[in-house]
Amino acid sequence: MPLEAGLLEILACPACHAPLREETADEENPELVCEGESCGLAYPIRDGIPVLLVDEARRPA
């Protein structure tokens, strides 16, 4: 289930404050990915709710 466009406009990466983009390569595991060049953390979306905790984020490969 995609997030509302208005919500994506106000969300930012908690680590570097860069904008986030929704990425749904796998429909079972959607993520919000940081667009910051030096960050790139991927935050999970669980049950339609973004989990914006740095400890829960996946580091870029």
Side-chain angles (χ1 to χ4, degrees):
M1 179 167 121
L3 295 175
E4 293 181 24
L7 181 60
L8 275 177
E9 289 178 15
I10 62 171
L11 290 178
C13 175
C16 71
H17 308 292
L20 296 168
R21 72 174 184 281
E22 189 170 13
E23 198 169 282
T24 55
D26 180 2
E27 286 188 29
E28 293 181 18
N29 300 312
E31 298 177 318
L32 290 178
V33 179
C34 176
E35 293 183 344
E37 290 181 22
S38 62
C39 185
L41 292 174
Y43 299 93
I45 300 174
R46 295 187 187 129
D47 298 323
I49 301 169
V51 180
L52 297 178
L53 300 171
V54 175
D55 291 340
E56 294 284 326
R58 181 178 56 81
R59 299 266 175 213

